[in-house]
Amino acid sequence: MKTRDWPIRSKLTALVVAPVTALLALWIFATTLTFGPALNLLSARTLLYDLGRLGETVVTELQRERRLSVVQLAGRTELPALAEQRGRTDRAVAELRRRVDGEPLRDAADDLLETRVDKLVSALAALPSGRKFIDDRKVDRAGAIGLYSGMVTAAFQAFAGMATLDDQDLNRQALALTALGRSRELLGQSDALLAGAFTAGRFAEGEHTQLVQAIGNQRWLTESAVADLPESSRGAYQRLTEGEAFTRLRTMQDALVVPNRSGRPAVDAAAWQASQDAVQQQLRDFELSEADALTDRSVPMAVGILVRLAAAGVLGLVAVVVSVLVALRVGRTLVRRLSGVRTAALELAEHRLPDVVTRLRRGEQVDVAREAPPLEYGHDEIGEVGRAFTEVQRTAVQAAVDEVTLRRGLNEVFLNIARRSQSLVHRQLHLLDRMERRSEDPDELAELFQVDHLATRLRRHAEDLVILAGSAPGRGWRNPVAIVDLIRGAISEVEAYERVDITAVQPAGVLGRAVGDVIHLLAELVENATAFSPPDTRVTVSGAQVANGYALEITDQGLGMSAEALETANTRLASSPEFDPAQSARLGLFVVARLAARHGVRVRLRSSSAEGGVTAVVLVPGDLITAEPPAGPDPATLGVASADPSRRPARTARRGTVTRPRTRPPTTPSVSTAPPAPAGAPAAATLPAGGRGVGSATADEPDDELDGLPRRVRRRTPTAQPRSTVAETPSPRSPEEVRQVMAALQAGTARGRATATPTASTAPAVPPAPTDPPTTPEPPTATERDA
């Protein structure tokens, strides 16, 4: 039994129950020990009246019957008095048997007394057969005396068995009265011997010796019994023995014990009989009176014992009750105080400390003294534990404050580094745009595009730090953007963009405040799809309107994920947990979860049963979805019309799978369209009307050019005209040519302002402004400024 795992209430209960139970057991034991003697004293009256009085009557009748039986055996004829005496004896024996078989006597008697009573009843059962032997003269006088003396002896043994009281004085007096009865029995035996000798005229052989022994034993028992009587009883017995009857009887006994050669009794029969009967009666009365006095003494003593027992029992019970009450009160107080400490500890560990950490992460100020109030539990050991725990919880709360402050500082450091990285990346993108515009070598331009693509991905990774730090990226749009442009912008930020196919996309738009985050979210998911699928497979992106928003599906053909891994990832995506640096391998999931939680977007991964990969389902809520914005204006009117502020973002869709031709002003001689870019190289951008491209405009090309996403197409410079390091002398131009060039410059500028990023646009109309904190503006693309 491991008690160390018991609750404190059970331990205190066991601690209280054990001594209280021991005290209660001792109280019950002491009460029983005291109650037993009291019951014995009270039962002494029952034993005296049901066994003592009736037994003494039976003994007296047996003594009388014994004397008459000896007389009849000494004579020749039957005595009528013997028959009458037998009837009196039978009635006394019957009454004794009735009382002995009763429940009161049996309940009051102990085992020893019951055994001796049973022996007495068995001895009395032999009385009828003994009488028959006497009537048939099959026994002599000595045999008859032995028969009745055995019954009387059994009676006196039963009387001695009653002297089992717990009071020693009462027991000694009871045994003294029993000894007096035995001495009286010896006197009766002497009378029976003399009655037979008187009737026969002489003693039988051995009777005189038996008579002398009986007289000697009777005197010795009398002296011993009187010595054990109380002083008052000894005085009464002394006065009794000084009477005339006792004096004559003692004188005749002295004469009888003298050696007698004649064989005849030395005393007169009538004088002996008179003295013997008087002494027998006086001794019997003395014994009965002393027995009554003994009973009268036992009852008050028993009552006194019961009174003391009651007092001791009540006091003991009160002590037990007080002990239980004190134990319960102290135990309840200890349990309440310890439970208070336990509750405070659990409250701190499960609620208060997590709440403090949550509030600190939200940026709230926390008062340590208020959040960790002192626990007052007295000045004992429990109070010391409470004060120690107060210090512990204050230290824990302060540690949480310091930890969150440290994490906030680290987030600020990450955010500062990320902002600086963003600024550098933006400047790098500006520089790359300028270099791309000046570059005429196709191979060099392809490498510049690769660097441009790497810088775009660097910008996204810098934005990851900003997002994980709890801030928002710098890019933002005021006007809605088409879904297809968002998808293209996300694909342009992925390394393996050439493996991504855009399938069926229903027209729709996304509000400007969520454009940057949705592009980033889709880019993370598309990059995961390309990273965890074989390089020779394709990744498809599709979108469709649903009942509660717009659903985008990104499907790869990789090995897929187990059910447990999908469940874990979906839980993380749905709950937007705090970033754990130990889970840096799942950085993209943390970023996606943060972005999705910011705008209420739901992202869920599921197995793609058709292709064996994973499908990421992005559900953009309906409050972010709007109608698809219209495309930009006709390039022919760019010189006179203002830029449309709802143009689709050019920077986010710098690359695509579809290329567009560039056009020149109508006055410039047309040449053939540039050939497509080599496989694996990014497409060079083209610019509608007014650009510096080498392509020519056709009547059906404007529709392809007005989708808001100018395409870069890798250009091929004339090989026959190598670049010269020496400045050439400019040829003179006619006024018409100068006017056409200026008109094209004006149209290209307006076009660039309309299609540039909101921070770079200077169109007369209200330009789109970022909704997030301003950052270094992105430069327009080469095609936007190529005019």
Side-chain angles (χ1 to χ4, degrees):
M1 183 173 57
K2 297 181 180 180
T3 58
R4 61 180 301 175
D5 297 332
W6 286 7
I8 187 64
R9 186 181 298 275
S10 300
K11 292 180 179 178
L12 290 177
T13 301
L15 190 64
V16 170
V17 167
V20 170
T21 303
L23 179 61
L24 185 62
L26 289 176
W27 175 75
I28 294 174
F29 180 71
T31 304
T32 304
L33 289 180
T34 309
F35 190 66
L39 290 180
N40 291 337
L41 291 174
L42 291 177
S43 63
R45 179 181 292 272
T46 302
L47 296 177
L48 178 61
Y49 286 99
D50 290 352
L51 180 60
R53 286 296 184 93
L54 292 178
E56 194 277 334
T57 301
V58 170
V59 168
T60 301
E61 299 299 335
L62 288 175
Q63 289 173 347
R64 291 172 181 174
E65 184 177 344
R66 178 181 58 191
R67 185 177 185 279
L68 293 175
S69 297
V70 171
V71 171
Q72 179 173 314
L73 289 175
R76 300 293 182 179
T77 61
E78 295 182 1
L79 298 176
L82 178 58
E84 296 177 2
Q85 180 58 43
R86 288 177 177 177
R88 288 191 295 269
T89 302
D90 290 340
R91 288 191 294 271
V93 171
E95 182 64 20
L96 177 63
R97 286 179 176 175
R98 185 179 66 82
R99 293 295 183 90
V100 165
D101 294 336
E103 291 185 1
L105 179 62
R106 293 292 182 177
D107 294 338
D110 57 2
D111 296 338
L112 177 62
L113 182 58
E114 286 189 357
T115 302
R116 294 186 177 183
V117 168
D118 292 338
K119 290 182 178 179
L120 174 59
V121 173
S122 300
L124 293 176
L127 185 57
S129 59
R131 289 172 178 174
K132 184 174 179 55
F133 284 117
I134 292 173
D135 292 341
D136 295 340
R137 296 182 181 271
K138 293 182 179 180
V139 294
D140 55 3
R141 290 178 292 180
I145 292 174
L147 173 65
Y148 288 98
S149 296
M151 298 179 188
V152 174
T153 300
F156 279 108
Q157 289 178 352
F159 297 158
M162 292 191 299
T164 57
L165 303 177
D166 296 304
D167 188 273
Q168 296 298 327
D169 294 336
L170 295 179
N171 274 337
R172 187 164 52 251
Q173 185 177 355
L175 291 175
L177 292 177
T178 303
L180 284 178
R182 288 180 178 274
S183 67
R184 189 166 57 86
E185 161 62 16
L186 291 175
L187 183 60
Q189 291 182 12
S190 300
D191 178 59
L193 290 172
L194 286 175
F198 287 144
T199 302
R202 57 181 299 116
F203 289 107
E205 185 179 357
E207 286 184 345
H208 185 267
T209 302
Q210 188 177 0
L211 176 63
V212 173
Q213 291 175 352
I215 292 174
N217 291 335
Q218 182 261 330
R219 290 182 177 182
W220 179 82
L221 280 177
T222 300
E223 291 178 1
S224 300
V226 172
D228 291 334
L229 289 175
E231 186 176 356
S232 59
S233 299
R234 286 200 303 270
Y237 185 80
Q238 186 66 30
R239 290 190 297 270
L240 181 64
T241 57
E242 292 175 356
E244 182 181 359
F246 274 89
T247 303
R248 290 198 307 266
L249 183 62
R250 187 177 300 109
T251 301
M252 286 185 286
Q253 286 180 341
D254 293 339
L256 289 173
V257 297
V258 175
N260 188 355
R261 295 182 179 275
S262 63
R264 296 179 180 274
V267 296
D268 182 63
W272 170 264
Q273 187 66 38
S275 299
Q276 194 273 340
D277 290 341
V279 170
Q280 281 278 2
Q281 186 62 39
Q282 290 177 9
L283 288 176
R284 184 168 182 267
D285 294 340
F286 177 80
E287 293 174 12
L288 292 178
S289 63
E290 289 297 322
D292 291 339
L294 181 64
T295 304
D296 294 338
R297 285 179 56 194
S298 65
V299 172
M301 189 175 295
V303 173
I305 293 176
L306 291 177
V307 170
R308 293 194 299 271
L309 174 63
V314 171
L315 292 177
L317 184 60
V318 169
V320 171
V321 172
V322 170
S323 301
V324 172
L325 292 179
V326 170
L328 289 178
R329 182 178 181 84
V330 174
R332 188 177 302 171
T333 302
L334 291 176
V335 169
R336 182 173 63 251
R337 296 171 65 191
L338 292 175
S339 298
V341 175
R342 171 181 173 273
T343 302
L346 293 178
E347 177 69 19
L348 174 67
E350 297 178 359
H351 302 286
R352 187 179 299 167
L353 194 58
D355 180 66
V356 168
V357 174
T358 303
R359 289 163 54 193
L360 288 171
R361 289 174 179 173
R362 290 200 302 262
E364 300 180 12
Q365 296 295 329
V366 174
D367 186 3
V368 177
R370 179 180 178 182
E371 296 299 333
L375 301 177
E376 297 296 338
Y377 291 98
H379 301 285
D380 57 353
E381 289 80 358
I382 298 178
E384 293 177 359
V385 172
R387 288 190 292 273
F389 184 75
T390 299
E391 295 300 325
V392 170
Q393 68 176 356
R394 285 181 179 176
T395 304
V397 174
Q398 186 63 48
V401 173
D402 296 341
E403 179 188 356
V404 173
T405 303
L406 177 62
R407 295 187 65 177
R408 187 182 300 163
L410 291 177
N411 287 341
E412 293 295 334
V413 171
F414 292 156
L415 186 60
N416 190 11
I417 295 175
R419 294 297 190 192
R420 294 183 181 184
S421 300
Q422 280 185 312
S423 177
L424 294 176
V425 170
H426 285 314
R427 292 169 60 186
Q428 181 180 3
L429 289 174
H430 282 245
L431 180 61
L432 288 172
D433 281 338
R434 290 195 300 270
M435 294 176 66
E436 289 171 2
R437 294 189 190 101
R438 292 194 303 266
S439 177
E440 298 296 336
D441 186 359
D443 295 332
E444 182 180 354
L445 186 60
E447 292 178 353
L448 288 176
F449 276 132
Q450 291 179 359
V451 175
D452 187 298
H453 181 58
L454 292 176
T456 303
R457 292 170 57 202
L458 284 175
R459 178 182 61 186
R460 180 165 60 85
H461 294 322
E463 288 182 353
D464 287 344
L465 287 178
V466 174
I467 294 169
L468 292 177
S471 185
R475 294 187 297 169
W477 284 261
R478 177 181 295 118
N479 297 321
V481 177
I483 291 287
V484 66
D485 293 340
L486 264 68
I487 298 175
R488 290 173 178 173
I491 295 174
S492 69
E493 298 185 4
V494 177
E495 179 180 6
Y497 60 88
E498 70 278 357
R499 291 175 50 204
V500 183
D501 296 332
I502 302 176
T503 58
V505 178
Q506 294 183 1
V510 177
L511 296 181
R513 60 185 173 88
V515 169
D517 291 340
V518 174
I519 290 175
H520 197 137
L521 185 150
L522 294 177
E524 293 289 344
L525 294 176
V526 171
E527 186 170 45
N528 281 345
T530 58
F532 293 99
S533 61
D536 57 343
T537 59
R538 310 293 297 176
V539 176
T540 60
V541 182
S542 62
Q545 290 275 0
V546 293
N548 52 352
Y550 195 94
L552 295 166
E553 292 188 357
I554 302 170
T555 304
D556 62 62
Q557 301 178 17
L559 298 178
M561 300 172 64
S562 64
E564 294 78 6
L566 284 175
E567 184 65 26
T568 302
N570 287 328
T571 302
R572 184 172 299 166
L573 291 172
S575 60
S576 180
E578 198 69 25
F579 175 64
D580 184 6
Q583 299 289 334
S584 58
R586 306 292 183 181
L587 185 64
L589 292 180
F590 284 103
V591 175
V592 171
R594 288 283 183 87
L595 295 175
R598 184 178 299 169
H599 298 286
V601 178
R602 287 189 293 174
V603 181
R604 185 168 182 83
L605 304 180
R606 58 180 173 84
S607 298
S608 178
S609 58
E611 300 173 356
V614 176
T615 298
V617 181
V618 180
L619 179 61
V620 183
D623 56 353
L624 297 180
I625 300 300
T626 183
E628 185 178 30
D634 192 330
T637 63
L638 285 176
V640 295
S642 62
D644 187 1
S646 62
R647 295 281 303 178
R648 302 172 187 175
R651 169 64 63 186
T652 59
R654 299 183 60 172
R655 299 176 180 85
T657 57
V658 181
T659 61
R660 299 184 181 199
R662 298 181 62 181
T663 59
R664 293 188 56 180
T667 59
T668 305
S670 61
V671 295
S672 62
T673 305
T686 62
L687 178 67
R692 294 184 306 166
V694 296
S696 61
T698 60
D700 55 348
E701 286 176 349
D703 292 337
D704 186 40
E705 295 169 350
L706 295 180
D707 63 351
L709 291 173
R711 305 300 184 196
R712 287 181 177 176
V713 180
R714 183 175 178 179
R715 296 181 299 173
R716 198 180 292 272
T717 58
T719 58
Q721 300 178 358
R723 298 178 61 181
S724 175
T725 59
V726 181
E728 298 179 356
T729 303
S731 59
R733 295 182 181 182
S734 63
E736 290 79 6
E737 291 179 346
V738 173
R739 183 173 60 251
Q740 292 175 355
V741 170
M742 295 303 296
L745 178 61
Q746 182 182 8
T749 301
R751 169 80 173 186
R753 290 175 178 176
T755 60
T757 58
T759 58
S761 176
T762 57
V766 179
T771 59
D772 293 302
T775 60
T776 304
E778 272 190 78
T781 62
T783 57
E784 295 163 358
R785 298 184 304 181
D786 192 11

